[in-house]
Amino acid sequence: MTSLASRLMPAALALRGSRRVGAEATRREIAGRALRPRSFSPPRGLDRRVDIRLERTAAGWPVYSVAAHGASRRDLDSALYLHGGSYFREITRQHWLLVADLAQSLPMEVVVPIYPLAPSATADVVVPAAADLAECLMGECGAERFSLLGDSSGGGMALAVAVALRERTLAPPRRTVLISPWLDITADHPAIAGLAAHDPWLSPDGLRVAGEAYRGALEPADVRVSPINADLDDLGHITVFTGTRDILNADARRLRERIALSNTEFEYHEERDMLHVYPLLPTPEGRAARRTLRGLVDPRGAISSAR
């Protein structure tokens, strides 16, 4: 049975301003955020829980490295976390709390790039630069000690990065975890219309506007923006978390169907009546999903797969 906290979550999201918005409202928000960029800094007090360091990539991106206090970083596995936000919103408190939870609980350094946002930066630049960072981290610790994670648009980017790494003939990450991933910027799957009536958060029209801003000159079917279209062979181990009150659930199911025909190992977690990115939410179901996620990327655990 769905918990009371999850049943109340749509109202809580509405109170804090996270609500479904259409095309025109999305255009206004993109323009407003470009004029008045939001802060990407970790929440105040997070450094009491974990050790946080700030560096920059070769592309000039700010990159945070998060690990447990007192940990010897040279002995830690590495995870790259790509945050969601429809490609035009900055990282939020809930993203940072998940990062801190992973870093505090596991012998793992979580690397968080503050990638440039659409429309100022588009996928033809962002995806290769994110793949460069992933390749660098893999070179430092080895692919078998590297995990790739992302939620929502960051989940789509994570899959695009995994494809880019394969195209560079690199070994796949130990584990790639996609939380409510946005896999197709067109948002035109027939099932989405039915799901939209029950999704209090995401609007197909709003997503299409954000997707247009992010794709730039790329075609909508390009795998850098719609990785559902990629060749899915040789990507290692991929795990998806998805809820059925999320319009992106339609493409998560499509990925499950397509990847079943590949040689990539796949694990699929679908929860009935859960919202978009439910593993990040402060609900019993969210906490259970986070426990599962920690187990998946724990360097001390064994890889398993369930199609």
Side-chain angles (χ1 to χ4, degrees):
M1 181 178 177
T2 306
S3 70
L4 177 61
S6 285
R7 294 198 300 273
L8 293 175
M9 189 53 62
L13 291 170
L15 286 173
R16 77 175 197 184
S18 300
R19 62 190 185 279
R20 181 168 55 191
V21 296
E24 189 53 41
T26 301
R27 290 189 187 95
R28 289 196 300 269
E29 185 180 355
I30 290 173
R33 286 175 179 266
L35 286 173
R36 295 174 292 279
R38 306 300 198 268
S39 172
F40 54 73
S41 301
R44 190 181 304 276
L46 197 71
D47 55 351
R48 291 197 291 269
R49 290 182 53 185
V50 287
D51 181 56
I52 305 172
R53 301 180 185 178
L54 176 62
E55 300 175 352
R56 287 189 178 270
T57 68
W61 298 0
V63 175
Y64 288 90
S65 170
V66 184
H69 285 299
S72 173
R73 293 191 179 227
R74 72 180 66 183
D75 298 327
L76 298 178
D77 279 31
S78 182
L80 178 64
Y81 182 79
L82 300 169
H83 72 83
S86 299
Y87 297 117
F88 72 89
R89 297 186 182 103
E90 271 299 358
I91 188 169
T92 68
R93 176 180 175 82
Q94 288 304 123
H95 298 125
W96 281 118
L97 292 178
L98 176 61
V99 167
D101 179 60
L102 293 172
Q104 194 173 29
S105 304
L106 303 174
M108 175 176 284
E109 178 182 43
V110 185
V111 176
V112 184
I114 307 301
Y115 56 85
L117 302 173
S120 297
T122 49
D124 57 331
V125 173
V126 174
V127 172
D132 289 345
L133 178 56
E135 182 176 355
C136 180
L137 294 171
M138 290 169 65
E140 292 174 356
C141 69
E144 72 283 357
R145 297 181 59 192
F146 173 75
S147 293
L148 178 59
L149 300 89
D151 74 280
S152 192
S153 54
M157 191 189 301
L159 184 55
V161 166
V163 171
L165 294 174
R166 183 200 59 206
E167 291 175 348
R168 299 180 186 191
T169 67
L170 297 170
R174 176 180 180 272
R175 178 77 75 169
T176 298
V177 180
L178 314 177
I179 301 170
S180 302
W182 186 12
L183 301 170
D184 184 348
I185 63 162
T186 68
D188 64 0
H189 190 275
I192 287 178
L195 289 167
H198 305 286
D199 185 338
W201 201 339
L202 300 182
S203 156
D205 291 340
L207 285 185
R208 292 185 190 107
V209 170
E212 288 291 305
Y214 177 63
R215 76 175 177 88
L218 298 179
E219 292 297 321
D222 192 290
V223 299
R224 286 167 286 184
V225 291
S226 296
I228 190 73
N229 300 315
D231 173 358
L232 298 173
D233 276 328
D234 303 317
L235 297 179
H237 299 260
I238 291 179
T239 301
V240 168
F241 290 85
T242 181
T244 62
R245 289 191 67 185
D246 178 359
I247 60 175
L248 300 184
N249 177 251
D251 290 324
R253 291 185 175 190
R254 283 174 62 202
L255 180 66
R256 179 179 60 178
E257 293 168 1
R258 290 204 61 232
I259 215 165
L261 304 176
S262 75
N263 63 5
T264 295
E265 299 293 339
F266 188 61
E267 189 167 333
Y268 185 75
H269 298 267
E270 180 179 281
E271 292 295 329
R272 184 177 178 181
D273 294 329
M274 290 299 104
L275 303 181
H276 184 58
V277 297
Y278 77 92
L280 276 66
L281 300 179
T283 63
E285 294 87 351
R287 287 189 287 274
R290 290 193 291 277
R291 286 194 296 271
T292 300
L293 195 161
R294 287 195 299 269
L296 288 169
V297 299
D298 190 337
R300 299 162 296 192
I303 287 287
S304 63
S305 65
R307 285 184 179 269

